Structure formats: structure tokens, C-alpha cells
């Protein structure tokens, strides 16, 4: 899987012969990503990312391909991995590696990603984006920017530095999740050959831009304890990200994943949505749009009241676990649906997660349930049968092994919403790479920032034309009356949209 | 209209014999206002507002009656006016004045409000809530708190102080809106009898709590220029206010007002919603729920993109002005629909405003249109006929003279949403009256504050039971994983809901 004889760089993807298919899809996606394409037009000549060496960890999909080629068009060098073992579209990965070259003589970007990685593969790919050729000898050749989704690249780097400082990687305890054990192994191997590698890399990083809720949460925690090693931009909380990608993206890709995965009619069914944040709101709207009866679980009384006011019954899981037909977690938390819950579900209930980690569902507990069997219906669709072979035999369908089903069972968010998210990403990279905020002039400290509202509004602006939306312009006197500038920003920072 | 022989206090309402009818409605409203009723239970004994003398300016509706009686139940003295010339429900005003007494011997609260005030009446009532009996002699008898909606009480007080400092009230210019001329007259009359009255009052005020967007905007402007004379709490931006009242309230009371006012079927019509903020979102959802085709105008690209993603065509007014059937402004801005626009509308198009001021519609321009005639169909419903008596004759229906039609043509927001808003109001009054934040311990400066998130969550909590919503509780380990406390707050301050 690693490189080909005619290549001048290393990479690891499934099959370069998929490149042409990937390129067709990328071309169509470009049409649906007006924000990114207009950044290429606006900044292509100025090359604001010239000299940027970006380590990118984000679902290696067709949409991400357009992001990567936008970063390159703005002058950056890039190494890329997926941030999820199931989310790579192999044809997109191949097309990005091949670039303007051929499968025999690729001329694109080093990508380390394929669909269905093992956890060991996954953390190997994560380390590959941090380990740039020659950087062990010359740190100037290492990455100087991170583009992260879920914070795994940032985590690996921070843990690496922590263990290098301690001089040793701790032994995993029995309580550690399997995934953490793999991280420890990955770092132990590195430490054995070079005790300062991650420390050197970290010193070169100018900043990280983070895509999603969970990664952002980790960044704020690091910043609070003073451990954050470089400035960070919270892309997730741009309005044109969290209120678009999380909500409208899921509204599209959740039913898409369920349909591709199961071919089961959603209409008329009882859909249980755990969590009514942005992702939950999109999920609930999608199910309602399909004619399902939607019930919601929440821990936050404000979100719970929103669900109620939007017409959804708010329940505790316990009350619906044996009557629901489809269960979807969207919380970003853990232990939302436990193995005991799944054991009480209706025969052939569908269970999936679009939150962040597979620990929203108790997959470990499920596997340990006495008498359970697992049948692969097709990749990412598994039937788990309880009390197999007894009179009580019944089964549930678990999608994508409890990982993000919209990425595992479908192709993730559609291009248009990703264009909004990724336009924020590119502007955030430009901001941090220039050290003093190339667009805004902000001096970034080792803190977590959100993009200023004018840039957020700019992202929205770049997506209106494609939808045929015609914006009204404020007159000068109207703007004065509202106390805003004719060109924006139009709202106070605390405005919620 | 002012007082009755058996009363021990002054007031001005339409007709005290309406009190019984008002009391019935208040009793039913109490059932729909669980937040306020539970504050009475929780704080009734402790009397946290004992000593508070509250000048209240907020639509004198049945819901506000429950608010007023909650403030009184917590120990406050109150004088009240409506913040809109059309919004008073006369029976509610009567019931509040009568209180536990009788129409002959009222024992309630001094209210100065009736439906259909003139502008002169209106600003007289606004001054009455600031002018407490005996306060000219003993400032300790004057108001020490303001509860405002739209900022008129705050405006009157600030202008009064400004002109007293200047020693004179400026003459109105021809450009000043009619309403500002009335304000100037009101203050000129005061200044003629007492050159320090408003200055003395202002010195006694501990703070203002403001209900709505426009009032909050004015407060931030005053704070920025250092003119704000006392601390302010922005109640509007509690999530349980702006994301509930503005959105879910309008979703209810906008179609209610249109239906009561016109009896015209909404389904199938093209409804033009100007502005897609919280109010606009509620308006658009209501129209869609009625089967209308909804189109939206916006100046903010983010809100415009939200409208598009929610499935609404985003247009400029110009493009739909001659094809739309119903036009509703929700912007909080001015000059949204001009007289020339109205002249181009379809025969019998319906035009109304639920933003803030009647200047969202160019009512002054409409009245000045050559050849126009105005026919009162019933109170708050007027037919304006263009080119009257010519072959081109056609007319439009304007609701509530361009003022808030959900209050003018219907009874304003329903009790349940107002309960959430007003529960925030009461807690904000408690906070500021205690000077050091009776609940939070915050030291308030002459700035604008929002209530802390735990209180916002508390408001939501107090409204879940009534809807049969069952909240899930976080386990300790789940809470730790999310980095929050089991009891909340559950979200970062920047979270948008
Ligand atoms: N699948 C995708 O493509 C995709 C896209 C964007 C974000 N995400 C992920 O989805 C998750 C949610 O994102 P979001 O923006 O909606 O976050 P959010 O904070 O807006 O929403 C999560 C909601 O879940 C609720 N919650 C927490 N624990 C709960 C529990 N035990 N039971 C019921 N409800 C609970 C919270 O109160 C909150 O309202 C994050 O982990 C994020 O990284 C996934
Ligand atoms: N009728 C009621 O009962 C009621 C209730 C709550 C609030 N309000 C009032 O409604 C108004 C709006 O409140 P909100 O919370 O929705 O505020 P908001 O700021 O959320 O929404 C107003 C929207 O109008 C847009 N806008 C401004 N000028 C425009 C123009 N010329 N053309 C098109 N769009 C324009 C803004 O971009 C914004 O998105 C405020 O004045 C508020 O005081 C009325």
C-alpha cells in the first residue's frame, strides 16, 4: 500500500487505479463547493499558504479532496490522513495522490488513508501526517500547521511530547479503551527510536484549526490547564459550520446512511434521537421529514425544551427502549445506549451513532453479552443476535460498528455543507499560518479562538449565489438605525442565529 | 379614567368593571405559566423583592398580569404602563388594579394603560410609572427598579436627565418622527414644573431589566458611549427568552393576529417574511405550517443562508412586491416596506409588522400618497385604497396601523412562552435589586449583562413538567467525560442552541 516505483513521495491508499473515478467525483463536488472555489480565485495568485506544511486529519472524502486541493492551490504542502477508520472514500484518496500525474507516476499529495483501517493502521496513518520526510534530520522540513477533526492529530502530538518529557510511555491499564492502548504502542515505538521527535515537531507548529465539537472541547480543556502548545482556531463554532454542517449535513447524511445500510422504510417508525444539539436537531428534522414519529432524549433542559417546542416528545431512553424502531446517538458523550438497553430492543431494531466516538454505544458490552452472535450482513451492517438459538432469539442491526454511520454507511456530509465548513477551515489556516492573522491582524496566543464574524458572514455570502438567494442590502440610514455597518458584521457576538 | 373615589392609589385604565373577566383569564393563564408560579412558591416566603419599587413598561396583557402579581408576591411595589398603544387588554389592566379588592374599592396595583392610547396618552402613561406619589418631596418614595420592554421607560428617563442637565428641551425639527415630538412635549411640561425631577429619579434606580431586542440594542449603545446610568440585564438574550418567545411566540401569535384580523385563508398564499432572525424564523415556520409558500428577505448573509437551507426562497422585496399576498416585517429595522412598495402590491394584499416599531412600514408615506383613502374595516384593520375612484383603484389591508399586529390584532404571545420570558425577568429583577446579584453574587456595573446560564437552564427546567417532557440525568462519569457538572451548566457560553 505504500508508494509506487514512479512516485517521488510516500503515501498509503487502497488502489491508485481508482483515481479516475475519484477525479470525476471531485469535479462534480467542486461545482457544489462554491466557497472553496471562490477562495482559489480570490487568493490563488497571492499564495497566502506558501511555506505552510499542513498535517491534515479529516475524513478522506471527495469533499476533503476539494479542501486539500484548495490548500495546495493557495501554496501549501500537505500530508493527509482520515480521522475515522471507515470514512475514507478510496477513489478520492487515489485521485488526490495521483493529482495531475498518473497512477504510475503520481504527482499529487501524500495521503495515508483507506476505508476499513484497523486501529493499528489508523494510528499509523495519524503518525504519518506528523512525520515528514527528512524532518528527523532537519526540523524545518516538518509540519508547521495542523488541520484536525476530532483532535486526534493534536492528541497524538500532545501525548507524544508528554511521554517524551517523562522519558517513557506508560503501560496501558485494563481499564484503558482498546484505542488508547494502540496510541500508547504507537508512541512507544517512536520513543524507542527517537526520544525528542514529537517535541521537535510540536515546536514547529504555528497552530491548529479544529473541525468538530469533540475536538474543540479537548482544545478548551488543554487551554484551561495551560497545556495547549500552540494557538487554535475553533472552526466548529463558526455559525456557518456548527449551525450548517452539524445540522443540515446530518439532516442529509443520516437518512442516507440508514437507507443505504438497511433499505428499511423510515416512515411510520418510531425514531429515538439521543441528544438535541445541532446534530440532533438535524437528525430529528430528517426523521420527521421521512414521516417517522420522533422522540428525543436530552440532559440539558434548554435543549429539551427546544425539542418539546419543536413538537418532539422528550423521553428517557428507558421509556422507549423496547418500543423504538431506530435509535441514533448524537450526543458527543459516552455510554448513551448500553448493551442492556440493546438487549431490551424490538427484534431488528436499528442502532447507530452520528455523535463522535463509538463509545456512545456500548459496543464493548454488546460483544461481551453471553449468547450473542454477530453476522455481517454487508460491510458496516451487522446483525447482533441475542440468545442465539433459543426461543428468545432476536436481533438488532448495528450500523458502522457504532462509529459515525453517515460516514461509514454513506459518503458523509454532502459537498455543499462541507464547502461552508471547509471555507472556514481554509481561512482559519490562513489566519494562523501568517502568525498575526493574515486577514484580521489578531495576535494569536496559545488559546482557542473563533473566526471573527465578518469572515463567518463571508463564508455565508460565498454560498448564496449557488442557491439563487438574493441578499437585500441595507441602506446607510437603515444600517445606522441598527448600529451596524452596511458591509457587516450584522450581529452582536452573543447572537445565536 | 384616573382613579375612583374608593381607591387609595391613582391609576388609569379603561373600565374597572372588566376586572372579573380579567381575573378569570389571569387564573387560566397562571396554569400556563409554570415558571412564574414556581418562583412564587420558591421565593414567596423570603420576599427577595421587599423594598423594590418597580416601574414597569411592558404590554399590559393577561400574561403580564401574572408577572406583576409574581413581583408583588415576592415583595415588590409596582407601577405599570403598557409599552405599546394597542397592546393593553383592558380586562387584565382592570383586574390588576382591582386586585383582591372590588371595582369600587380597588386594592391592587397602579396601572396606567388602555387599548388604543394616543401617542400623547402613551407618553403620559410612561411618565406616570416613573412619577411615584410623594417622590417629588421624598426621593426615597420614587422607583428604584425599571422593568422595560423596548426601552421606552429607560429612554424617557435618560432623555429627561439629559434635558434637565441642558436646562431646556430642544425644539422638535421637521425631520423628527411624530412620536419624538410627543416625548419632547412630555419632558418640556415636566421641566417647566421641576428642573431636577428625572435627575432625582435616575439617581435612585438600581437597574433595568430589558425584555426585547430593540431595547437591548439601545442599552448597548448607551453603555458604549458611557451614558448608561445604571446596570442593565439583557433578558432578551437569555436562550429561554429570545429562542423561545421571539420564535415560538410569534409562530403562535402571528397567524392568530392575521386570522382574527382578516379571516383570510393563509394556505396557498405567498407570504413574504422580511427578516429571518428569531422572529422571522417563527413567522416563516407558522406560514409554512399553514401551507403558505414562504419567501424571505434578509440583509445578513448568514441568516439568508439559514433561510435557504430551511427551504425558503430568499428574494429582494422588489422581486415579490407585486406577487406576494401577505407581507410581514420582523426586522427591528426601519423603512422595510415603503409606500411605493405598497402601491405596487396586489389588490387586497395584507401588510403587517411584528418587528418593533411601526416605522418598519412607511405608514407616514402611505398616508401622504396622493389619491389614497383609508377605511376602517374594524379596529386595527384598515383598508388603504390607492387611486380611489379611478379605474386603477386597488387596496391593501394594513393591520394594527403598522404596529405589532400580534398584539394589536390578537392577544400577543401565549402564556406559556411568556412564562419563560417573564421567569427570566423576575430573576433578573431579583439579581439587580439586591445590588450584588442575590442569586449569583455578581457585582453589577453600569454595563449590560445577560443572566448566567444556570439560571437560563433553570427557567427551562421549570417548564418541562407541564409539557410532560422527561429529562435524562447525566451520570457522574458522563458529566466528567463532557467536562460539565451533573447539575449544569451544560454548555459553553458561546453555544448557540
Ligand atoms: N456524524 C457527523 O458527521 C458529525 C458532524 C458534526 C458533529 N458530529 C459530532 O456529533 C456530536 C454532537 O455535536 P453537536 O454539535 O450536536 O453537539 P451539541 O453539544 O450541540 O449536542 C449534543 C447534545 O447532546 C446532549 N447530551 C449529552 N449527553 C447526553 C446524554 N447522555 N443523553 C442525552 N443527551 C445528551 C447535550 O445536552 C447536547 O444538547 C459531537 O461529538 C460532534 O463531534 C458528528
Ligand atoms: N411582535 C412581538 O411580539 C415581538 C417579540 C419579540 C421581538 N420582537 C421584535 O422583533 C424584532 C426582531 O427581533 P429578532 O429577535 O428576530 O431580531 P433578530 O436580530 O434576530 O432578527 C432581525 C433580522 O432582520 C434582518 N434585517 C435587518 N434589516 C433588514 C432589512 N432591511 N431587510 C431584511 N432583513 C433585515 C436582520 O439581519 C436580522 O436577521 C425586534 O425589533 C424585536 O424587538 C417582536
Amino acid at each position: 500500500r505504500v508508494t509506487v516505483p514512479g512516485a517521488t513521495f510516500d503515501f498509503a491508499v487502497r488502489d491508485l487505479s481508482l483515481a479516475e473515478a475519484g477525479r470525476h467525483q471531485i469535479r462534480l463536488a467542486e461545482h457544489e463547493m462554491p466557497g472553496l472555489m471562490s477562495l482559489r480565485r480570490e487568493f490563488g495568485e497571492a499564495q497566502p499558504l506558501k511555506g505552510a506544511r499542513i498535517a491534515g486529519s479529516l475524513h478522506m472524502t471527495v469533499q476533503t479532496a476539494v479542501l486539500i486541493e484548495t490548500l495546495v492551490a493557495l501554496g501549501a504542502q500537505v500530508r493527509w490522513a482520515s480521522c475515522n477508520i471507515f470514512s475514507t472514500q478510496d477513489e478520492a484518496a487515489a485521485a488526490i495522490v495521483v493529482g495531475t500525474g498518473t497512477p504510475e507516476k503520481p504527482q499529487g499529495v501524500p495521503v495515508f488513508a483507506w476505508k476499513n483501517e484497523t486501529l493499528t493502521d489508523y494510528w499509523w496513518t495519524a503518525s504519518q501526517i506528523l512525520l515528514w520526510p527528512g524532518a528527523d534530520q532537519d526540523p524545518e522540513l516538518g509540519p508547521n500547521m495542523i488541520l484536525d477533526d476530532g483532535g486526534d492529530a493534536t492528541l497524538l502530538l500532545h501525548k507524544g511530547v508528554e511521554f517524551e518529557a517523562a522519558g517513557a510511555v506508560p503501560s496501558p491499564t485494563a481499564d484503558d479503551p482498546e484505542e488508547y492502548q494502540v496510541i500508547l504502542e504507537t508512541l512507544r515505538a517512536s520513543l524507542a527510536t527517537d526520544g525528542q521527535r514529537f517535541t521537535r515537531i510540536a515546536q514547529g507548529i504555528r497552530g491548529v484549526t479544529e473541525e468538530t465539537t469533540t475536538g474543540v472541547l479537548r482544545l478548551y480543556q488543554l487551554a484551561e490547564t495551560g497545556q495547549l502548545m500552540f494557538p487554535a482556531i475553533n472552526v466548529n463554532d463558526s455559525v456557518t459550520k456548527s449551525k450548517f454542517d452539524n445540522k443540515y449535513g446530518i439532516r442529509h447524511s443520516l437518512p442516507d446512511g440508514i437507507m443505504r445500510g438497511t433499505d428499511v422504510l423510515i416512515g411510520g417508525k418510531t425514531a429515538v434521537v439521543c441528544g438535541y444539539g445541532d446534530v440532533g436537531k438535524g437528525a430529528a428534522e430528517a426523521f420527521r421529514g421521512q414521516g417517522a414519529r420522533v422522540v428525543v432524549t436530552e440532559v440539558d433542559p434548554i435543549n429539551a425544551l427546544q425539542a418539546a417546542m419543536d413538537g418532539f416528545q422528550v423521553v428517557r431512553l428507558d421509556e422507549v427502549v423496547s418500543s423504538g424502531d431506530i435509535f441514533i446517538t448524537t450526543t458527543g458523550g459516552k455510554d448513551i445506549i448500553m448493551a442492556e438497553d440493546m438487549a431490551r430492543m424490538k427484534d431488528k431494531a436499528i442502532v447507530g451513532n452520528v455523535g463522535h466516538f463509538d463509545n456512545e454505544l456500548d459496543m464493548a458490552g454488546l460483544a461481551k453479552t453471553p449468547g450473542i452472535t454477530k453476522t455481517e450482513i454487508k460491510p458496516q451492517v451487522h446483525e447482533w443476535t441475542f440468545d442465539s438459538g433459543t426461543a428468545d432469539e432476536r436481533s438488532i442491526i448495528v450500523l458502522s460498528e457504532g462509529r459515525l454511520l453517515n460516514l461509514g454507511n454513506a459518503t458523509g456530509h454532502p459537498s455543499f455543507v462541507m464547502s461552508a465548513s471547509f471555507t472556514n477551515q481554509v481561512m482559519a489556516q490562513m489566519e494562523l499560518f501568517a502568525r498575526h492573522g493574515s486577514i484580521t491582524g489578531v495576535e494569536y496566543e496559545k488559546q482557542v479562538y473563533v473566526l471573527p464574524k465578518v469572515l463567518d458572514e463571508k463564508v455565508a455570502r460565498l454560498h448564496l449565489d449557488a442557491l439563487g438567494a438574493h441578499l437585500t442590502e441595507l441602506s446607510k440610514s437603515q444600517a445606522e438605525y441598527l448600529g451596524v455597518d452596511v458591509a457587516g458584521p450584522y450581529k452582536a457576538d452573543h447572537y445565536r442565529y
Side-chain angles (χ1 to χ4, degrees), chain A residues 54-98:
Chain A
I54 302 173
S57 165
L58 197 154
H59 313 288
M60 183 57 248
T61 62
V62 167
Q63 293 73 37
T64 301
V66 183
L67 166 62
I68 293 171
E69 295 191 335
T70 303
L71 294 168
V72 171
L74 269 51
Q77 277 178 279
V78 175
R79 280 170 84 87
W80 212 268
S82 203
C83 62
N84 178 293
I85 62 174
F86 293 132
S87 64
T88 297
Q89 289 174 268
D90 289 319
E91 65 279 24
I96 288 300
V97 170
V98 168

Side-chain angles (χ1 to χ4, degrees), chain A residues 474 478 482 491 495:
Chain A
L474 280 177
Q478 286 179 322
L482 293 172
K491 300 291 193 302
Y495 187 75

Side-chain angles (χ1 to χ4, degrees), chain A residues 386-404:
Chain A
F386 295 92
D387 300 316
S388 202
T390 74
D392 276 351
E393 183 176 295
R394 69 217 177 275
S395 64
I396 62 170
I397 310 293
V398 178
L399 298 175
S400 292
E401 314 260 12
R403 290 174 177 259
L404 302 187

Side-chain angles (χ1 to χ4, degrees), chain A residues 212-214 236 241-242 245-246 250 253 274-280 297-300 303 330-334 336 354-356 360 404 406-407 413:
Chain A
T212 197
T213 319
T214 305
N236 183 70
K241 200 283 175 177
S242 55
D245 169 320
N246 298 22
I250 282 290
S253 61
C274 299
Y276 198 69
D278 292 317
V279 170
T297 75
E298 249 299 341
V299 298
D300 182 329
N303 297 65
T330 77
T331 72
K334 66 168 187 176
I336 309 303
V354 288
H356 191 68
E360 298 219 13
L404 302 187
N406 60 319
L407 285 144
H413 287 179

Side-chain angles (χ1 to χ4, degrees), chain A residues 328-330 351-358 360-361 402-405:
Chain A
I328 300 296
T329 53
T330 77
V351 182
N353 167 41
V354 288
H356 191 68
F357 284 119
D358 55 349
E360 298 219 13
L361 308 180
R403 290 174 177 259
L404 302 187
L405 80 89

